[in-house]
Structure formats: C-alpha cells, structure tokens
Amino acid sequence: MIKSKVEKAINEQINAELYSGYLYLSMSAYFEDQNLPGFAHWMALQAKEEFEHAMKFYNFVFERGGRVTLAAIDAPPSEWKSPIDVFENAYKHEVKVTGLIHDLVALSRSEKDVATENFLMWYVDEQVEEEAHADAIVQKLKRIKESSGGMFMLDRELGGRE
Ligand code: OFO
C-alpha cells in the first residue's frame, strides 16, 4: 500500500507530466503555424510521450492500492520568439522536471518506499535522454543560425522521428 505522502507527490507529478504534454503540444501548434511540419511532428510525438509518462504514474498508483486525483492543468504559453527559443525553453523545462523526479526519489527514500524508488529509476534514465535530446536540437539550431537551408534540412530530419 502506498503511503499518503508518496501518493500525493505522485499525483502532483501526474499533473506535471500532463502539463509537459500540454506544453509540447502548444509548441507543436506554434511550429505548425510557422510552416515547420517536421518540428511540429517532433513536438507532437514529444507531447504523446509525456501523456504516456503521466499514464505510467497513473497506473502505478492504482497498482499500489492508491487513489488518483486529477487537478487542473495550467495553460501553457503559445508564443515564442523563434524555434531556438522554443527548444531552449523545452530544455529548461526538462531540467526542471528532472529536479521533480529527483525530489520524488528522495521522498520515497525517506519514506522507505523501495517499490516506488525502484519504479522511479525508469524516469531518472528517461530524464537523461529528454535533456540530451532537447539540448542536441538547441545546439543544431545554434550551428545553423536558423538559416533557411539549415532549417529546411533540420525540419526534414525532425520530421523523420518515429
Ligand atoms: Fe516526462 O519527461 Fe519530459 O517532462
């Protein structure tokens, strides 16, 4: 049975993951509007992954005999200065989420909840990847300086994400 402190923190994390999905969907909509379909596709897949992260937590709470309570999801921003601004913000957001996951690990440790701590290791690894992916795109955008040829190529590359 999951302890109430841990249950509450995971419920908050479900909200944070849903917000991440909402944020990336909004970024995808921004790229659609900018006529960058490959960037939009990449972000839409990112949003889908976040909703899956939320569902993984959701199912875990039930598996442990807990209760899921859903709260309102904040509205994400809808405007950015440029594609690089979008990805710098996505990277910053992932760093913040990594901090939240690490706080959850610390809480499960202090609550001696080994099952939750073990379950969270998947997210610890996932965050390493999430940060690296967003940062890699920031670096590519810096290199091409958003030149039209470079943007065309990168849009095609990001559109190939499966
Ligand atoms: Fe759920 O990993 Fe990003 O936020």
Side-chain angles (χ1 to χ4, degrees):
M1 181 84 184
I2 198 162
K3 288 189 184 156
S4 68
K5 257 196 198 174
V6 177
E7 180 190 77
K8 184 172 176 285
I10 294 183
N11 270 297
E12 285 165 7
Q13 190 61 30
I14 290 173
N15 189 272
E17 300 290 346
L18 291 173
Y19 176 78
S20 297
Y22 223 32
L23 174 66
Y24 295 143
L25 200 55
S26 185
M27 288 174 169
S28 179
Y30 165 86
F31 285 129
E32 290 284 1
D33 192 55
Q34 299 287 309
N35 293 316
L36 289 165
F39 281 77
H41 167 79
W42 195 96
M43 274 301 175
L45 283 189
Q46 195 59 28
K48 189 171 163 268
E49 272 197 11
E50 297 300 348
F51 296 132
E52 285 166 7
H53 294 172
M55 287 310 293
K56 211 170 149 74
F57 274 119
Y58 176 96
N59 290 322
F60 179 73
V61 171
F62 288 123
E63 223 178 325
R64 301 285 313 285
R67 176 81 169 91
V68 168
T69 42
L70 298 174
I73 306 163
D74 288 341
S78 54
E79 289 301 333
W80 288 271
K81 291 197 283 277
S82 60
I84 200 163
D85 185 37
V86 174
F87 274 94
E88 278 174 345
N89 275 288
Y91 174 71
K92 258 192 254 164
H93 181 71
E94 286 307 325
V95 171
K96 192 173 137 202
V97 173
T98 299
L100 296 176
I101 297 290
H102 292 182
D103 287 349
L104 268 177
V105 172
L107 176 70
S108 5
R109 274 189 194 150
S110 69
E111 291 295 309
K112 296 190 169 47
D113 184 343
V114 182
T116 298
E117 187 182 334
N118 189 43
F119 168 77
L120 287 168
M121 291 306 125
W122 182 87
Y123 288 88
V124 170
D125 292 343
E126 180 72 4
Q127 282 311 120
V128 173
E129 273 185 29
E130 299 271 275
E131 284 186 25
H133 290 159
D135 188 46
I137 299 172
V138 170
Q139 299 316 318
K140 282 184 185 170
L141 283 165
K142 280 188 179 160
R143 225 173 304 131
I144 63 176
K145 297 194 173 68
E146 299 189 358
S147 68
S148 56
M151 286 300 281
F152 178 77
M153 296 294 285
L154 187 54
D155 191 61
R156 229 175 34 186
E157 183 189 322
L158 297 185
R161 178 177 180 184
E162 284 171 15

